[in-house]
């Protein structure tokens, strides 16, 4: 186990003819604490996998250094870095049995067979594969194959880190949840440094202690799941996380007041001077509907376009002066005839040029 | 699932008619000859299995069969490993791939007797590069007189002619392996040999089976090339089954024995192909049984 | 890094060595084709010192030579067209439907690929004599179907199985009749499969000599057979022989060049 440090890491893939080469990963420095559980979250093509491969050494970054426990490993091969990585699609050695698959990385490193046997037995039990230890790996279904891929990482107790590259993509939905819980348990038990790449926010938020959100090759926010929810550092994070995502509406300030659709909706507790486009962000969870303006001076009249029932609660799709806004209200709430919309002033985040102002 | 539809037979009819014309009727003729004897002037009479017994007991047939088996065995032993090795060494992308593929495929499209002619000329001591070269370094090489030289020439010729087929097959199998398998192998610290043994070899097994079958069949049926180069000689040293057969049927016009030999020859090929197929796929079957025994999902 | 670079170097060298081994005998034939007989027989030269095109001129001005090429091309093309066009519906049937005896039929077709041509030489001769087809192009084209039709069916079945069945169903729902769907949509979907099948039919028909020689006398005699005959008759005219050999390589080389990108695909399906 090790603390992994990236110093000014950046990567470009070779340019295609006639195209300028764009950064797959923009220059970034980041420390992954020893024993931490991290998630790298972002949409497809945002550079997550590239970053992961740079850490494991499958890819050599075009700039910057990688340090493990303070030792520069930038030039070291994957084998020498002692990293485990689980890929999106299951990789098994077809002709080997399940047990031999798990023993494979250990045998390659020349461990004693007694030691190998114990560790393989432990992992088989951990993954619930004991009954098929002697079965050839090729005959398994995708779920079990992916468990083996996972297991090949877990048998190596001395690894510097275990990297997961969207490992649950091919797994059955009901098993996903189970395996994720399993992983979390393993993390608590063994304390490996784990980095988990995903584009699924639920996976990221439930797995990780800290989530790194990437967007177009750059890290836009690092934080606990709570922070990502309450204080998204970038409007992208706000929109990407949550279902539905954060409402982002153009706004203005005037003498310490916050204006939405030309109307004052509250006081600003901090200064927001400076140039650039201003937007406010508010989670649908903190938007409420009221029937009248009476007693709610900061409410705004709204038009309701649709009400979606997603089981637990209603998602109300509305608009204020043609600005679309979503609200989440409790199941069974009576939607008023001519509703007005209230924003919880404490939960409003202010963005200038997409970046959080009240950081 | 495929749908049951016996009208689909109609689509197969053209193929059946054509194959009937080019396979069934000729084969029936062969069967017909194999159980009859003739004294010329189109009079035939029934002899039962006499020709088959004669052929199966004849030393001439045994020797030709052994020579053919030896030839096919050597061809497989050389071309399959060499083909795999070359395929592994091929570049994985870029312009060189096309260049290599085109150049390698070249011998495959040369008419077989021209292949024979090329090597006949190439090996001649007076005008051939190979023969002249060997002679000038003091090696006494003469494929028309020396049995070993004749065999060596035929084998090198076949390696030259057909190894590329094995290369192309294996190469297509290799490029179809997803990159992630190699990445996982690096993560697992696998040696180059392990990568070959546990990733590449299992993944190309299917195309390799085809390569082995094709190379076996075609080397076992080889006729034109050795006929041009050695004519079956020196003596009968390179008289393979096919050369012997044509000699018997067209040269000596011994229709009965030739027909019996044809059928035995055909059956030997079918049998050996079946053996290769069974041996090379037996592993897969064990796997399935393994799952059932372990109570896994089928 | 260093060992992997050495490995790369080793790979490049071994592939190059193999290609040189392949090209050397062909080069030698090419070399000879530009020499006159005197130079071939009396001096040993690595390249023609007295460069001449006479051998090629001989071939292109003598009908008994060049008609051999025309004959070969005619029956090879006929065979390719026949084999692929009968194989298309059959391959479709095998890839889409189950019917009585389908598996046995498919396997039996494949066994024809294992039939030694030497076995069929005599029966073919008698069969085509009976029909009066000896020394015609169609006789050779039909005879070569023995091994090319099974091959074409096998290759095409592989490509067709790669096309999802839903496409057929969608087309029928959209009101396409079967022939229109098959010709308009399906054949274009498996065009590279058809290309690969045609390539292999061309190849195996072009390189075969035993059957082609047996079934022809003069009018449809293939070039490769003309070569053997002329060699024995004219007292070993090495230069012309070499030039004729080189000319038989050219059609193959052209075909490979045009289908080079499809070949790997055909092989990738594991079918030859």
């Amino acid at each position: 186990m090790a603390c992994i440090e990236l110093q000014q890491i950046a990567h470009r893939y070779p340019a295609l003819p006639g195209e300028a080469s764009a950064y797959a990963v923009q220059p970034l420095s980041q420390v992954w604490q020893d024993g931490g559980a991290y998630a790298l979250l972002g949409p497809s093509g945002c550079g997550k996998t590239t970053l992961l491969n740079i850490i494991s050494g499958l890819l050599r970054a075009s700039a910057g250094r990688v340090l493990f426990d303070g030792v520069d490993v930038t030039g070291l091969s994957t084998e020498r870095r002692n990293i485990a990585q689980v890929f999106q699609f299951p990789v098994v050695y077809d002709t080997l049995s399940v047990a031999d698959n798990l023993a494979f990385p250990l045998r390659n490193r020349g461990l004693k067979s007694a030691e190998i046997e114990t560790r393989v037995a432990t992992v088989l039990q951990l993954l619930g594969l004991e009954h098929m230890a002697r079965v050839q790996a090729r005959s398994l279904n995708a779920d079990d194959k992916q468990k083996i891929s996972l297991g090949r990482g877990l048998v190596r107790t001395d690894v510097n880190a275990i990297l997961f590259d969207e490992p649950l993509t091919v797994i059955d939905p009901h098993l996903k949840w189970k395996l994720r819980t399993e992983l979390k348990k393993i993390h608590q038990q063994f304390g490996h440094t784990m980095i988990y790449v995903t584009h699924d926010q639920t996976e990221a938020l439930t797995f990780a202690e800290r989530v790194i959100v990437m967007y177009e090759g750059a890290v836009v926010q690092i934080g606990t799941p709570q922070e990502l929810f309450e204080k998204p550092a970038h409007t992208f994070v706000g929109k990407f996380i949550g279902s539905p995502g954060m409402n982002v509406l153009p706004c203005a300030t005037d003498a310490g007041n916050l204006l939405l659709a030309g109307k004052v909706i509250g006081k600003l507790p901090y200064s927001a001077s400076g140039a650039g486009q201003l937007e406010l962000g508010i989670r649908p969870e903190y938007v409420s509907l009221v029937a009248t303006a009476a007693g709610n001076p900061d409410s705004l009249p709204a038009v309701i376009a649709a009400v979606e029932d997603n089981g637990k609660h209603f998602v109300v799709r509305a608009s204020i002066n043609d600005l679309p806004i979503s609200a989440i209200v409790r199941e069974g709430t009576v939607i008023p005839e001519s509703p007005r919309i209230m924003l919880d002033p404490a939960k409003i985040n202010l963005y200038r040029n997409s970046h959080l102002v009240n950081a | 699932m495929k749908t049951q539809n016996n009208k689909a037979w109609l689509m197969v009819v053209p193929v059946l008619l054509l194959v009937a014309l080019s396979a069934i009727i000729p084969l029936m003729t062969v069967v017909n000859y194999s159980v009859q004897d003739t004294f010329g002037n189109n009079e035939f009479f029934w002899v039962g299995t006499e020709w088959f017994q004669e052929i199966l007991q004849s030393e001439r047939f045994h020797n030709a069969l052994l020579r053919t088996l030896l030839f096919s065995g050597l061809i497989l032993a050389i071309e399959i490993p060499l083909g795999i090795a070359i395929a592994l060494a091929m570049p994985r992308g870029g312009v060189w791939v096309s260049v290599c593929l085109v150049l390698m495929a070249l011998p495959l499209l040369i008419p077989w007797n021209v292949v024979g002619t090329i090597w006949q000329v190439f090996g001649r001591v007076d005008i051939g590069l190979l023969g002249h070269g060997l002679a000038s370094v003091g090696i006494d090489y003469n494929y028309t007189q020396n049995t070993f030289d004749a065999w060596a020439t035929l084998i090198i010729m076949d390696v030259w002619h057909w190894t590329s087929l094995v290369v192309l097959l294996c190469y297509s199998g290799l490029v179809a392996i997803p990159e992630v398998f190699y990445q996982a192998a690096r993560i697992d610290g696998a040696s180059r040999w392990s990568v070959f043994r546990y990733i590449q070899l299992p993944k190309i097994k299917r195309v390799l089976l085809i390569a082995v079958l094709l190379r076996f069949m075609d080397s076992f049926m080889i006729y034109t090339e050795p006929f041009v180069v050695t004519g079956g000689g020196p003596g009968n040293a390179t008289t393979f089954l096919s050369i012997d057969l044509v000699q018997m049927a067209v040269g000596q016009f011994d229709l009965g024995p030739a027909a019996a030999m044809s059928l035995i020859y055909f059956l030997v090929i079918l049998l050996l192909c079946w053996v290769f197929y069974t041996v090379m796929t037996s592993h897969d079957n064990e796997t399935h049984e393994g799952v059932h025994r372990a109570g896994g999902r089928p | 890094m260093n060992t992997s670079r050495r490995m790369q170097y080793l790979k490049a060298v071994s592939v190059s060595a193999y290609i040189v081994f392949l090209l050397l005998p062909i080069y030698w034939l090419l070399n000879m084709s530009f020499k006159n007989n005197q130079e071939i027989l009396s001096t040993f030269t690595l390249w023609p010192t007295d460069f001449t095109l006479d051998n090629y001129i001989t071939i292109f001005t003598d009908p008994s030579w060049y008609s051999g090429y025309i004959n070969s091309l005619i029956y090879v093309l006929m065979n390719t067209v026949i084999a692929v066009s009968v194989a298309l519906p059959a391959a479709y049937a095998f890839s889409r439907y189950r019917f009585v005896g389908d598996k046995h039929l498919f396997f039996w077709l494949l066994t024809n690929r294992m039939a030694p041509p030497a076995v069929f030489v005599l029966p073919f001769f008698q069969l085509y004599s009976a029909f009066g087809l000896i020394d015609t192009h169609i006789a050779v084209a039909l005879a070569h179907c023995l091994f090319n039709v099974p091959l074409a069916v096998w290759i095409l079945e592989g490509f067709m199985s790669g096309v999802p069945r839903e496409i057929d169903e969608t087309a029928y729902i959209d009101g396409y009749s079967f022939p229109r769907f098959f010709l308009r949509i399906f054949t274009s979907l498996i065009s590279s499969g058809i290309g690969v099948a045609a390539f292999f039919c061309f190849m195996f028909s072009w390189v075969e000599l035993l059957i082609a020689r047996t079934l022809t006398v003069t009018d449809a005699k293939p070039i490769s057979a003309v070569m053997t005959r002329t060699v024995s008759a004219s007292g070993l005219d090495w230069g012309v022989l070499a030039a004729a050999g080189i000319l038989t390589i050219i059609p193959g080389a052209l075909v490979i060049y045009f289908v080079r990108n499809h070949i790997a695909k055909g092989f990738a399906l594991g079918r030859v």
Side-chain angles (χ1 to χ4, degrees):
Chain A
M1 279 146 273
C3 156
I4 298 170
E5 193 177 348
L6 304 182
Q7 294 183 341
Q8 286 304 310
I9 281 290
H11 191 72
R12 297 173 196 255
Y13 287 105
L16 297 170
E19 271 178 51
S21 110
Y23 275 113
V25 174
Q26 292 185 34
L28 105 99
S29 296
Q30 163 75 22
V31 178
W32 318 78
Q33 293 299 342
D34 189 2
Y38 296 90
L40 258 176
L41 179 66
S44 305
C46 71
K48 303 169 301 212
T49 300
T50 307
L51 191 61
L52 207 64
N53 288 348
I54 288 172
I55 295 173
S56 63
L58 291 172
L59 195 66
R60 180 137 191 204
S62 30
R65 302 201 305 157
V66 182
L67 278 69
F68 285 5
D69 281 336
V71 181
D72 190 342
V73 297
T74 318
L76 283 190
S77 64
T78 304
E79 295 85 337
R80 312 260 309 269
R81 288 191 191 188
N82 201 13
I83 286 264
Q85 188 168 353
V86 181
F87 299 91
Q88 186 170 6
F89 294 101
V91 175
V92 297
Y93 302 100
D94 283 344
T95 50
L96 295 178
S97 70
V98 170
D100 285 336
N101 257 280
L102 297 177
F104 188 72
L106 300 179
R107 289 199 180 124
N108 288 331
R109 287 178 170 76
L111 264 75
K112 292 207 177 58
S113 54
E115 166 87 22
I116 294 176
E117 241 169 77
T118 350
R119 289 210 210 159
V120 168
T122 317
V123 173
L124 279 173
Q125 197 189 5
L126 199 69
L127 297 172
L129 293 173
E130 306 104 310
H131 60 290
M132 42 175 81
R134 294 279 129 231
V135 175
Q136 274 218 341
R138 91 168 82 205
S139 53
L140 302 181
N141 59 26
D143 294 346
D144 290 336
K145 280 186 178 175
Q146 189 65 329
K147 278 191 189 171
I148 295 175
S149 308
L150 218 78
R152 280 208 314 275
L154 299 177
V155 279
R156 293 161 57 193
T157 46
D158 59 337
V159 286
N160 283 322
I162 305 183
L163 313 181
F164 301 92
D165 189 357
E166 311 202 17
L168 303 182
T169 311
V170 294
I171 304 284
D172 254 19
H174 72 279
L175 254 180
K176 268 188 195 185
W177 171 83
K178 219 182 119 202
L179 273 178
R180 212 163 48 222
T181 325
E182 205 83 48
L183 277 183
K184 219 163 168 168
K185 239 167 46 200
I186 290 165
H187 177 250
Q188 282 155 3
Q189 194 176 341
F190 297 104
H192 289 112
T193 310
M194 286 186 173
I195 305 175
Y196 190 107
V197 159
T198 178
H199 63 257
D200 181 330
Q201 46 167 308
T202 327
E203 260 179 55
L205 300 178
T206 51
F207 173 81
E209 293 151 359
R210 292 182 79 73
V211 179
I212 290 98
V213 185
M214 285 187 77
Y215 179 55
E216 290 179 346
V219 170
V220 285
Q221 186 168 11
I222 301 171
T224 61
Q226 166 87 16
E227 284 165 349
L228 294 181
F229 190 80
E230 299 283 348
K231 284 249 174 273
H234 189 278
T235 50
F236 167 76
V237 180
K239 287 178 190 161
F240 192 69
I241 290 174
S243 171
M246 185 173 72
N247 295 303
V248 177
L249 307 164
C251 64
T253 52
D254 178 36
N257 288 322
L258 184 61
L259 280 71
L260 177 62
K263 193 178 172 303
V264 175
I265 54 166
K267 285 233 170 280
L268 264 186
Y270 42 82
S271 143
S273 55
Q277 194 203 347
L278 272 186
E279 285 166 312
L280 71 79
I282 182 142
R283 293 269 171 206
E285 286 79 354
Y286 304 126
V287 177
S288 48
L289 295 178
V290 289
T292 69
N296 303 307
D298 293 338
S299 64
L300 296 169
V303 179
I304 291 182
V307 179
E308 297 160 15
D309 184 350
N310 71 3
K312 280 203 308 276
H313 42 62
F314 289 149
V315 176
V316 180
R317 306 282 185 185
S319 60
I320 304 168
N321 272 11
D322 292 334
L323 295 172
I325 185 166
S326 307
I328 289 182
V329 298
R330 267 212 320 280
E331 184 91 355
T333 309
V334 180
I335 310 289
E337 282 283 302
S338 52
R340 298 178 70 82
I341 275 184
M342 277 275 291
L343 309 181
D344 182 346
K347 300 294 185 184
I348 292 177
N349 295 310
L350 197 60
Y351 297 90
R352 171 170 290 117
N353 294 338
S354 301
H355 288 277
L356 188 66
V357 175
N358 54 331
Chain B
M1 265 325 270
K2 292 182 185 182
T3 42
Q4 179 84 28
N5 182 354
N6 284 329
K7 280 190 198 141
W9 263 99
L10 289 176
M11 296 181 175
V12 190
V13 164
V15 163
L16 284 183
L17 285 177
L18 205 57
V19 177
L21 191 68
S22 62
I24 302 176
I25 298 175
L27 202 62
M28 285 300 111
T29 320
V30 175
V31 172
N32 197 24
Y33 281 139
S34 72
V35 292
Q36 297 188 69
D37 196 6
T38 175
F39 294 124
N41 57 24
N42 270 340
E43 279 177 52
F44 291 88
F45 53 89
W46 175 260
V47 293
T49 58
E50 196 178 302
W51 296 131
F52 289 93
Q53 287 169 8
E54 188 184 312
I55 288 292
L56 285 172
Q57 283 160 10
S58 87
E59 202 164 324
R60 177 177 162 184
F61 175 75
H62 292 167
N63 289 337
L65 179 63
L66 282 180
R67 277 192 287 268
T68 314
L69 283 172
L70 178 64
F71 182 74
S72 284
L74 287 171
I75 289 304
L76 288 179
I78 297 171
E79 290 181 9
I80 299 295
L82 182 64
I84 295 174
I86 301 285
L88 286 173
M90 286 265 290
R92 282 286 175 277
V95 281
W96 287 109
V97 174
S98 283
V99 175
C100 286
L101 288 178
V102 170
L103 290 178
M104 284 181 184
L106 209 51
L108 299 174
L109 274 119
I110 301 177
W112 294 349
N113 69 314
V114 177
V115 169
T117 307
I118 288 176
W119 281 86
Q120 188 196 21
V121 170
F122 197 59
R124 277 180 72 116
V125 180
D126 53 347
I127 58 170
L129 185 62
L130 177 68
H132 195 88
L134 287 174
S136 65
V137 296
I139 296 170
D140 183 19
Y141 164 84
N142 187 335
Y143 63 80
T144 55
Q145 301 292 326
N146 182 309
T147 302
F148 178 81
D149 292 351
W151 271 79
T153 309
L154 291 185
I155 284 176
I156 293 174
M157 175 182 72
D158 201 82
V159 168
W160 176 86
H161 189 183
W162 287 111
T163 304
S164 295
L165 184 73
V166 183
V167 174
L168 295 183
L169 278 166
C170 292
Y171 178 74
S172 65
L174 286 174
V175 293
I177 301 176
E179 180 61 29
V180 67
F181 279 85
Y182 296 111
Q183 294 183 336
R186 286 170 67 186
I187 294 286
D188 290 338
S191 63
R192 196 167 276 129
W193 167 250
S194 291
V195 170
F196 174 70
R197 174 70 187 77
Y198 298 114
I199 296 177
Q200 293 172 320
L201 200 57
K203 294 274 172 205
I204 62 169
K205 212 174 123 189
R206 228 172 81 87
V207 281
L208 206 56
L209 170 70
I210 290 164
V212 168
L213 284 177
L214 278 176
R215 281 320 300 130
F216 167 72
M217 283 180 219
D218 290 340
S219 63
F220 208 78
M221 299 191 290
I222 193 167
Y223 172 81
T224 312
E225 302 95 312
F227 182 76
V228 173
V229 176
T230 65
N236 275 331
T238 55
T239 302
F240 301 125
L241 275 178
S242 53
I243 296 180
D244 203 19
L245 177 61
V246 174
Q247 216 170 0
M248 195 186 283
V250 185
Q252 302 157 268
F253 227 68
D254 284 336
L255 292 186
M261 184 172 158
S262 297
L263 292 177
I264 297 168
Y265 188 11
F266 192 12
L267 287 178
V268 169
I269 294 185
L270 283 181
L271 179 74
L272 289 175
C273 283
W274 178 79
V275 170
F276 275 116
Y277 184 82
T278 316
V279 169
M280 288 187 74
T281 54
S282 61
H283 216 56
D284 302 349
N285 297 337
E286 275 166 28
T287 308
H288 292 299
E289 284 161 24
V291 177
H292 291 307
R293 267 200 304 272
R297 276 160 282 194
Chain C
M1 282 288 151
N2 217 344
T3 55
S4 91
R5 193 161 303 149
R6 202 174 319 136
M7 196 69 194
Q8 288 303 319
Y9 184 71
L10 199 72
K11 282 180 173 181
V13 167
S14 52
V15 171
S16 313
Y18 176 68
I19 289 177
V20 168
F21 164 65
L22 294 185
L23 295 184
L24 219 50
I26 298 177
Y27 167 73
W28 197 247
L29 199 70
L30 189 70
N31 178 23
M32 269 174 64
S33 75
F34 292 122
K35 294 175 178 179
N36 55 43
N37 279 324
Q38 215 232 322
E39 188 184 344
I40 294 171
L41 291 168
S42 60
T43 53
F44 188 84
T45 47
L46 290 176
W47 52 85
T49 47
D50 187 12
F51 186 87
T52 174
L53 286 173
D54 285 352
N55 299 320
Y56 289 95
I57 293 169
T58 307
I59 290 172
F60 285 117
T61 51
D62 181 353
S64 77
W65 271 112
Y66 68 72
S67 65
Y69 286 103
I70 298 170
N71 290 335
S72 289
L73 281 175
I74 291 174
Y75 73 70
V76 167
L77 290 176
M78 279 168 95
N79 169 265
T80 305
V81 172
I82 295 171
V84 172
S85 47
V86 300
L88 272 171
Y92 185 81
F94 284 122
S95 84
R96 291 296 194 258
Y97 302 117
R98 271 182 301 133
F99 48 93
V100 179
D102 54 353
K103 290 211 178 72
H104 300 105
L105 190 61
F106 194 66
F107 181 74
W108 173 75
L109 270 180
L110 288 181
T111 61
N112 285 306
R113 177 67 181 74
M114 304 174 201
V119 168
F120 287 89
V121 170
L122 201 62
F124 271 157
F125 184 78
Q126 295 183 324
L127 179 69
Y128 290 105
S129 299
F131 286 114
L133 287 173
I134 290 294
D135 209 16
T136 58
H137 300 113
I138 189 75
V140 184
L142 287 175
H144 282 178
C145 285
L146 169 68
F147 42 83
N148 274 350
V149 165
L151 191 71
V153 172
W154 196 28
I155 293 174
L156 289 172
E157 197 267 340
F159 275 91
M160 288 177 181
S161 299
V163 177
R165 224 170 300 275
E166 287 72 24
I167 291 189
D168 307 28
E169 284 151 19
T170 315
Y172 298 144
I173 291 166
D174 289 348
Y176 276 87
S177 66
F178 176 73
R180 206 164 137 241
F181 156 74
F182 196 82
L183 296 175
R184 285 278 184 81
I185 300 176
F186 201 68
T187 49
S188 68
L189 286 174
I190 54 156
S191 57
S192 60
I194 295 176
V196 171
F199 167 76
F200 280 104
C201 290
F202 183 96
M203 165 173 156
F204 282 110
S205 183
W206 177 255
V207 297
E208 206 280 337
L209 173 73
L210 185 57
I211 291 174
R213 195 183 59 185
T214 309
L215 295 181
T216 54
V217 187
T218 46
D219 291 347
K221 197 122 189 124
I223 179 57
S224 37
V226 175
M227 274 178 68
T228 53
R229 188 196 56 182
T230 311
V231 168
S232 50
S234 66
L236 299 179
D237 190 343
W238 291 112
V240 175
L241 178 72
I246 289 297
L247 289 176
T248 62
I249 299 177
I250 290 173
L254 285 177
V255 170
I256 301 172
Y257 181 77
F258 284 122
V259 298
R260 66 187 183 284
N261 293 329
H262 291 298
I263 293 301
K265 227 192 228 171
F267 278 121
L269 279 166
R271 309 209 161 199
V272 176

